[in-house]
Amino acid sequence: MKRVFANMGWLLGGRGFNAVLSLVYLAIAARTLGTDGFGHFALIIALGQAITGFSSFQTWQFIVRWGADPDRPGVDIERAREATGFAVALDFLSMAVGTLASAVLVLTAHLWLDVPPDLLWLTFWYCVISLVTIRTTPTGMLRLHSEYGKATGAEAVQPVIRASGAVLAWLFMPDVTGFILAFAASEVATAFALWVVAARVQPVSLTSISLRAIPSRHKDAWKFVLSTNMSGSLAVAGKQVMILLVGTFGGAYLAGGFRIANQLGVALIALAQTISKAILPELVQSRDGAVEMARRMANIAAMAGVTAVITAILFGREGLALIAGEEFTGFYWAMIILSIAGAVELVGASLESLLISAGKAHVAFLVRLFPTILALLMLEMAIDWKGAQGAGFAVLGSSVLAVVGFYLAIMNLKQFRIVVVDDTKDEGADTRPASPER
């Protein structure tokens, strides 16, 4: 348990820095743009992140999985180069597919998205920049070499640029365009910083870029690629697509308020992700005490969630007024509902990690899938019933169903055991890759 809390401390430190600066640029943008303007801003950001999320792959997982030395702890440089080349090739594929999707969605945006026509070109180019600055590959390179400190330092560029860019936009271009440019600049700067740091740790060989090398040696490569893409798409559907649909059914005003309420309540979900990342390695290594550890972490999460919800109830209205302005205080109850959803996710984080560590990642995915689909299908009805609060209830219902599903899945396991997959048993995995041409 000590190592779990130590891991959480490091992760929360980076998230805490990001969270503080996030509140700074959120406050500046909301107060400068007002409800409708901030709604347009939120919809453009959500569209760019949704397209990127659906088009991109979790390439960092490929690098970590196929770049390690199969015979001893550490990195096999030749394998790492080959895995990185495969990841870069997938990034190029994501850019091409995503750019085409961006063009189609922006050209049809007037039919379904509450964004003014004069902002559609800005929307398209923001989507393109989001695709070009995909950065899971350099992140994977740094994780493979255990350079977490360097990765955290490079990623810290994003909130700094966003906050400083928001100040510049407020001073010189206090409109939606100015704040979108600030966000775009932060994406470019962060991607540049990560690639520079990663390339110093492991230089990238252009001759290793290929979509065929890794699949020729690992028979399950494309299955793994597609499964991780589906998991990433599911996460996007639960966040960015939800905001887009709120804007579609309720307009820019509702989308902006929902974004504010969600971002203030999302700190709990971020904590849930932190707990998951901190506990998963310990579950894998502590096989005998895995269930007990997960139970204790779930209890701790439940207490933390209740405390956070009570805090939101007591001080949430003042927090909304302080950060976003009085016009956003009407979204107080939506924020409360979303904070409760975050508390539920806190409990579910350790249960989900327990399933994944038991080799049941596909079960965890399916348990997440159906509540998410149900929430999206019920969203229009929920908004017609109660506006932003209805959208919050859709999110809450999805979270509750998912956590109940995790619990039932764990209870129904006939024999619980932690498994570690040895990827070296893949067909052809015992053959070392040829050195890339220089």
Side-chain angles (χ1 to χ4, degrees):
M1 289 297 292
K2 289 183 178 179
R3 285 196 296 180
V4 171
F5 286 116
N7 293 344
M8 286 175 60
W10 283 107
L11 291 169
L12 285 173
R15 286 188 179 274
F17 177 74
N18 196 343
V20 170
L21 290 182
S22 295
L23 291 178
V24 172
Y25 65 71
L26 182 70
I28 296 173
R31 287 180 171 273
T32 303
L33 299 177
T35 52
D36 287 339
F38 186 81
H40 297 147
F41 167 80
L43 289 172
I44 294 172
I45 296 296
L47 182 60
Q49 293 179 347
I51 290 174
T52 302
F54 280 113
S55 303
S56 61
F57 302 90
Q58 301 297 314
T59 54
W60 71 269
Q61 295 186 20
F62 314 153
I63 294 174
V64 170
R65 179 172 182 173
W66 293 314
D69 192 321
D71 300 320
R72 57 183 181 277
V75 178
D76 185 316
I77 295 301
E78 292 180 357
R79 289 180 182 272
R81 287 175 178 170
E82 186 177 73
T84 302
F86 181 61
V88 172
L90 285 173
D91 284 343
F92 285 140
L93 179 62
S94 298
M95 293 174 196
V97 173
T99 299
L100 180 61
S102 299
V104 173
L105 290 173
V106 170
L107 286 174
T108 60
H110 65 283
L111 300 175
W112 62 279
L113 194 64
D114 188 13
V115 173
D118 59 310
L119 292 177
L120 291 181
W121 273 111
L122 176 69
T123 304
F124 172 74
W125 286 113
Y126 176 76
C127 292
V128 172
I129 289 175
S130 297
L131 290 163
V132 172
T133 56
I134 292 172
R135 47 186 179 269
T136 56
T137 296
T139 299
M141 294 163 64
L142 292 171
R143 288 180 180 177
L144 176 64
H145 292 271
S146 299
E147 296 287 357
Y148 289 92
K150 292 181 179 179
T152 300
E155 289 170 351
V157 170
Q158 184 182 61
V160 171
I161 297 296
R162 282 186 181 178
S164 57
V167 172
L168 292 175
W170 171 60
L171 291 173
F172 302 108
M173 193 181 290
D175 55 18
V176 174
T177 301
F179 284 95
I180 291 295
L181 291 177
F183 257 63
S186 72
E187 298 293 336
V188 173
T190 307
F192 179 78
L194 276 168
W195 273 111
V196 168
V197 172
R200 289 177 178 174
V201 173
Q202 178 194 310
V204 179
S205 173
L206 296 179
T207 57
S208 66
I209 300 176
S210 171
L211 287 173
R212 293 182 295 181
I214 288 290
S216 67
R217 292 199 310 109
H218 301 275
K219 63 180 182 180
D220 68 335
W222 285 112
K223 179 181 177 181
F224 185 66
V225 167
L226 294 176
S227 65
T228 55
N229 175 260
M230 290 173 62
S231 297
S233 297
L234 183 62
V236 170
K239 298 177 183 178
Q240 308 307 329
V241 173
M242 182 69 72
I243 294 174
L244 289 172
L245 290 180
V246 169
T248 298
F249 300 137
Y253 167 75
L254 200 67
F258 186 81
R259 171 66 186 262
I260 290 284
N262 187 59
Q263 189 151 343
L264 292 179
V266 84
L268 281 169
I269 298 177
L271 181 57
Q273 294 171 339
T274 300
I275 289 177
S276 177
K277 290 180 181 179
I279 194 175
L280 182 57
E282 304 306 319
L283 290 175
V284 173
Q285 296 173 25
S286 303
R287 305 187 183 194
D288 295 333
V291 176
E292 176 63 19
M293 184 182 297
R295 185 190 65 80
R296 292 175 63 184
M297 291 303 298
N299 290 340
I300 293 171
M303 290 187 290
V306 171
T307 301
V309 170
I310 293 174
T311 302
I313 292 173
L314 294 177
F315 305 107
R317 194 179 300 275
E318 290 75 12
L320 278 171
L322 177 65
I323 294 171
E326 289 291 339
E327 61 267 35
F328 285 96
T329 55
F331 294 95
Y332 166 74
W333 284 109
M335 186 194 71
I336 297 300
I337 295 167
L338 290 168
S339 69
I340 295 172
V344 173
E345 290 287 346
L346 274 174
V347 177
S350 54
L351 300 179
E352 186 174 13
S353 292
L354 194 59
L355 273 177
I356 294 173
S357 64
K360 301 294 182 180
H362 62 290
V363 175
F365 171 76
L366 291 175
V367 169
R368 281 280 184 197
L369 177 63
F370 294 109
T372 300
I373 292 175
L374 182 61
L376 295 177
L377 291 176
M378 298 293 291
L379 185 61
E380 183 176 11
M381 185 186 303
I383 290 175
D384 291 339
W385 168 59
K386 208 69 173 176
Q389 295 176 39
F393 277 120
V395 175
L396 175 58
S398 176
S399 296
V400 170
L401 288 176
V403 173
V404 171
F406 291 144
Y407 178 79
L408 293 177
I410 291 172
M411 292 298 100
N412 286 330
L413 287 179
K414 293 181 178 179
Q415 180 181 9
F416 183 85
R417 61 190 180 91
I418 304 297
V419 297
V420 180
V421 178
D422 185 2
D423 190 63
T424 61
K425 294 182 181 179
D426 286 354
E427 183 178 323
D430 56 339
T431 305
R432 297 180 67 87
S435 301
E437 297 179 4
R438 306 199 181 273

